[in-house]
Amino acid sequence: MIKEKGSLAVVGTGIRTVGQLNGDTIARLKTASKVFYLVADIVGEQVIKQIQPAAESLGRFYRLGGARKEAYDAMVERVLSAVRDGHRTCFAAYGHPGVFAFPTHEAVRRARAEGYDAIMLPAISAEDCLFADLGVDPANPGCVSHEATRFVLYRKPIDPTSALVLWQVGSFGDPTYQPQRNRGRWIHLLVERLLEHYSPSHEVTLYEAAIFINCPARIERIPLGALVDAELSPATTLYVPPALRDELDDETCGALSIRSEHLKR
Ligand SMILES: C[S@@+](CC[C@H](N)C(=O)[O-])C[C@H]1O[C@@H](n2cnc3c(N)ncnc32)[C@H](O)[C@@H]1O
């Protein structure tokens, strides 16, 4: 018998799986011959298991205190082994599978490099939930997203006229796997960097989107200066609203014949 050529579909469950799992993703899960998943909660796991009882968790590659990068490499290798074995492989991750996610992108890159068909489907990310829950429109006045540790390590430029979304504040400065809530050991370094552009009283939001129906999101507004003592979790995203108003460039406005009263403020 000729072995079928393997393929890979990387999909996302959304943040609140019940309600946010979309039709495309369900179809991919149903039609796969091998399903892997990396989700953050028990309901997400149960929903996947209902669709594919033999689905395999990749969470077992995490080791408490072990390097996250090592776990990701092992996950990618496990997924690729199924593709090479000829499976119609589906890799489901929570949120959007391509947003602040290494193993999903790496699995697609590796599968394609080895000559297999590989696609990624979009889904609802934590930032999508944040825009809805906090009433933030990234178009106005603009919004920048960074992984919190990279943001400080690479001294990414700060634009206080735009909103700033910082991901993975709960594991700031720590490349190891730590699933529990904590008071960030190194978080003062992030606060110091932000204080170069924002005042200690600037209000920031600790945000955790609801992952279950009828459970509230965590929307905790605190002064920036209090972030050093805040309780953080692996699901905490930090929202920093703009501190300054945009300055209109009158010359460009004139050249484009745009009247300032027609612009949204
Ligand atoms: C490895 S990234 C995964 C993001 C995911 N792929 C997505 O689409 O949202 C983990 C980070 O996402 C953010 N995150 C995950 N779950 C969240 C939630 N329920 N609410 C807010 N942010 C969340 C946090 O910043 C967390 O540190």
Side-chain angles (χ1 to χ4, degrees), residues 180-252:
Q180 70 280 22
R181 287 188 172 265
N182 65 87
R183 282 177 210 283
R185 183 169 169 216
W186 304 107
I187 202 76
H188 59 282
L189 296 177
L190 173 62
V191 175
E192 280 167 22
R193 175 76 182 111
L194 292 170
L195 287 174
E196 292 174 23
H197 292 269
Y198 304 92
S199 77
S201 61
H202 188 63
E203 187 181 79
V204 299
T205 304
L206 298 169
Y207 176 69
E208 290 168 23
I211 54 175
F212 305 126
I213 288 177
N214 290 332
C215 285
R218 177 186 185 192
I219 299 176
E220 194 179 333
R221 296 189 169 87
I222 57 168
L224 173 58
L227 180 58
V228 280
D229 295 317
E231 189 176 276
L232 305 168
S233 91
T236 312
T237 298
L238 182 71
Y239 174 70
V240 184
L244 300 174
R245 283 181 79 97
D246 280 332
E247 288 287 334
L248 195 59
D249 178 0
D250 291 329
E251 204 178 305
T252 311

Side-chain angles (χ1 to χ4, degrees), residues 58-63 66-77 103 177:
L58 294 172
R60 68 193 164 87
F61 289 109
Y62 282 127
R63 295 273 170 273
R68 292 198 299 272
K69 174 70 170 59
E70 270 174 27
Y72 295 153
D73 288 343
M75 291 175 196
V76 173
E77 195 43 49
Y177 175 64

